[in-house]
Amino acid sequence: MRIWGPLVAICLGTFMLLVDVTIVLVALPAMSDSLGSSLSQLQWVADGYALAVAAALLGAGMLADLHGRRRMYVGGLIVFAVASVACALSPNMPVLIGSRVVQGLGAAAMFTTTLSLISTLYEGRRLGLAFGAWASVAASASALGPVLGGLLTQALDWRWIFLVNVPVTVLALALTFRHIPRSAPGKRDAARRLDVPGVLLFALGAGGFVYAVTEAHTQGWASAATLVPLGIALAAFAVFVRVQSRGAHPLLDLSMFRRPAFTAAMITISVGEGAVYGILPYTSLWLQSVRHLSPIGAGLVVLPHAVAAALVAVVCGRWLPTPSPRLGASLGLLLAGLGVGAEGFLGPESGWPALVGGLALSGFGMGLVFQVAASLALGSVPPERAGMASGTYSTFEQLGYAFGVAAFGTLAVSAMTGSLEGKVTDASATAGTLSGGGADALLSAAPDALRPGLDHTLHAAFATGHNTLALTAGALCLAGAALVAWSTRRPRDEGPLPARQGAPAGTSRTRAHAPGGTSGHGSS
């Protein structure tokens, strides 16, 4: 149990916090029916959590480096559990969204410590095994979220997708106290302090940007409601970069981005998350509100993606030679792009089978992305920056998802509006209702004689919107793959990697990047 106890404790928290990114997706229609909501509010149920995780990760990573990773992990588990109960008891959408934000803060404290805990608790072949297990959990958790959400929503109620976190948290806490040391090995600099201005500036920039993009589909890009928060966000990001570049103990060490491997890891994970998982809320809404699948049915449609992602993480981590960073990251994004792009050919009469092949292929790609990107990030920095690197990696992961959900929501409404022009009285309002899962409400409000024609029109409009999202997401992944291949084309310019505590002995600079460690490491 000395090997598996800490790993199970860490992976339980990782699985729970990543599942909660996507577990709400198939429950969105049920939440809307229960509490009443607009498309923007539904977006914020998903984005509020991811954005809070992203905004708090860098600060949590610094606090973990300063005050102990186990302490930060335990605190995050407790906050996460309390906020989950608040989500389950929410009487309206504003309370639910606020509780999701607090839940995201707890998740940030957990997430920022997982990779750094593994890197300090294991070494050699055990480190390879631990990274392989973690990568398998990370690769499958986000994709399994819709399946678990569908099961709980259909069998019990949407509130149980949050209540189920409580017993899992109790188990994770018990294992943490028993198996993870009170203070992880590592040097601590007494002169370092939490960069409060950096935390606030980054949160303001990320929050302002996502808010502007989310509201653009209702307010318009030229409106003050969009331009003002967008301007504030850009200004906050500019000041953040300036402050970080001049600070003695920055929240984000910008010099890490001078290493092509680290930059490639950030591009890989943010583009993959934003493109592949950013369109899943709208896929779920199409499956349930247009094709009338049950919550569990909609979740099971995504299951091939989850299985493929987990399979790649396990097989590549244990039995196959680890690909080079350039090949692994680029190939992962290429497969993800081809897969998600294949989902962009729906017609008015298409059913769920039209998605399965693309979902499976994108799962293979994301399994490889998770396999390579995390270790690229940690393998590029010295051990005393493990918490910062882990926090930065997770920040880019969650920001990619948050920006993807927000941007694709605006793009969906725009595409559906164009498809409905000349076919309905108010194309913009109809597109807003349709994209929020309100197809049945639109049909019930129409005269009986017009319903068959309107039903076909709505099917065609949602298919057009989803196709636009999928093809755009595919193009983003392909562009990301090309950019990663270009940025890592000359790895010798990166210089030797700093020695990383617990790195598998004898691994080369390219073979140590993937969580699997050396090829054919076997089991411990």
Side-chain angles (χ1 to χ4, degrees):
M1 199 64 177
R2 292 178 59 190
I3 299 174
W4 293 106
L7 187 58
V8 172
I10 293 168
C11 286
L12 271 177
T14 301
F15 184 82
M16 187 167 55
L17 70 90
L18 288 178
V19 159
D20 265 64
V21 177
T22 56
I23 198 172
V24 302
L25 299 183
V26 296
L28 291 177
M31 292 177 185
S32 180
D33 291 341
S34 174
L35 303 178
S37 66
S38 63
L39 174 62
S40 295
Q41 288 177 319
L42 290 178
Q43 286 178 286
W44 276 111
V45 172
D47 259 3
Y49 177 84
L51 186 59
V53 173
L57 271 169
L58 292 177
M62 177 176 279
L63 286 174
D65 283 343
L66 291 173
H67 302 296
R69 291 158 190 167
R70 193 187 82 158
R71 181 181 300 177
M72 183 62 60
Y73 186 65
V74 168
L77 282 169
I78 294 172
V79 171
F80 186 87
V82 172
S84 295
V85 174
C87 288
L89 300 179
S90 297
N92 52 52
M93 290 300 289
V95 173
L96 176 59
I97 293 170
S99 300
R100 284 282 283 172
V101 170
V102 177
Q103 190 186 35
L105 297 178
M110 298 156 58
F111 207 3
T112 195
T113 54
T114 55
L115 288 175
S116 53
L117 278 172
I118 289 175
S119 68
T120 55
L121 290 171
Y122 298 93
E123 61 183 10
R125 294 171 63 191
R126 290 182 178 180
L127 177 63
L129 177 63
F131 265 136
W134 181 90
S136 300
V137 170
S140 61
S142 294
L144 280 174
V147 180
L148 298 177
L151 281 169
L152 292 170
T153 300
Q154 187 169 333
L156 298 170
D157 183 77
W158 66 264
R159 298 179 187 273
W160 280 92
I161 67 176
F162 301 112
L163 290 175
V164 74
N165 291 329
V166 177
V168 179
T169 300
V170 172
L171 178 59
L173 282 170
L175 290 171
T176 298
F177 285 126
R178 181 170 182 177
H179 296 290
I180 296 181
R182 184 176 296 274
S183 56
K187 297 179 180 179
R188 290 177 58 183
D189 186 350
R192 294 182 70 200
R193 297 289 186 273
L194 177 64
D195 182 6
V196 176
V199 172
L200 296 178
L201 284 169
F202 188 84
L204 182 62
F209 188 83
V210 172
Y211 178 84
V213 176
T214 300
E215 294 299 317
H217 68 82
T218 56
Q219 305 294 335
W221 281 103
S223 67
T226 300
L227 293 178
V228 170
L230 186 59
I232 292 174
L234 294 175
F237 276 134
V239 176
F240 173 80
V241 171
R242 185 177 181 85
V243 169
Q244 298 307 296
S245 63
R246 293 188 173 188
H249 301 287
L251 180 69
L252 174 61
D253 185 356
L254 298 177
S255 67
M256 293 191 298
F257 289 91
R258 296 174 185 169
R259 296 190 172 274
F262 187 84
T263 301
M266 300 304 107
I267 295 171
T268 301
I269 194 60
S270 59
V271 171
E273 277 282 334
V276 175
Y277 296 117
I279 74 167
L280 273 184
Y282 313 103
T283 302
S284 176
L285 288 170
W286 177 77
L287 289 169
Q288 293 188 70
S289 67
V290 176
R291 302 312 310 171
H292 296 102
L293 265 67
S294 64
I296 182 56
L300 289 174
V301 171
V302 188
L303 188 59
H305 178 99
V307 172
L311 183 64
V312 169
V314 172
V315 171
C316 286
R318 294 183 60 84
W319 292 294
L320 296 183
T322 299
S324 70
R326 180 184 184 186
L327 175 61
S330 301
L331 181 60
L333 284 177
L334 175 63
L335 293 176
L338 293 175
V340 74
E343 300 171 36
F345 297 94
L346 301 178
E349 305 304 323
S350 295
W352 62 265
L355 298 175
V356 174
L359 285 167
L361 183 57
S362 66
F364 282 115
M366 287 307 295
L368 195 54
V369 164
F370 285 121
Q371 180 73 6
V372 174
S375 194
L376 270 178
L378 283 181
S380 304
V381 300
E384 62 270 17
R385 285 291 182 265
M388 181 180 289
S390 177
T392 305
Y393 169 86
S394 302
T395 295
F396 273 73
E397 181 178 9
Q398 296 306 313
L399 279 181
Y401 177 76
F403 290 167
V405 171
F408 285 137
T410 299
L411 182 59
V413 174
S414 176
M416 291 181 198
T417 299
S419 177
L420 291 168
E421 289 287 355
K423 301 174 183 176
V424 297
T425 303
D426 190 340
S428 180
T430 302
T433 302
L434 178 63
S435 60
D440 287 340
L442 292 169
L443 287 173
S444 63
D448 292 342
L450 299 179
R451 287 181 185 176
L454 179 60
D455 185 49
H456 183 273
T457 298
L458 296 180
H459 278 60
F462 210 122
T464 297
H466 189 275
N467 292 345
T468 302
L469 301 189
L471 294 173
T472 301
L476 287 173
C477 283
L478 297 181
L483 182 58
V484 168
W486 177 82
S487 67
T488 56
R489 71 195 185 285
R490 295 167 63 188
R492 63 181 179 274
D493 293 343
E494 185 179 347
L497 286 175
R500 179 163 65 91
Q501 183 171 345
T507 53
S508 67
R509 180 158 53 88
T510 56
R511 292 179 72 195
H513 287 313
T518 58
S519 61
H521 56 72
S523 59
S524 296

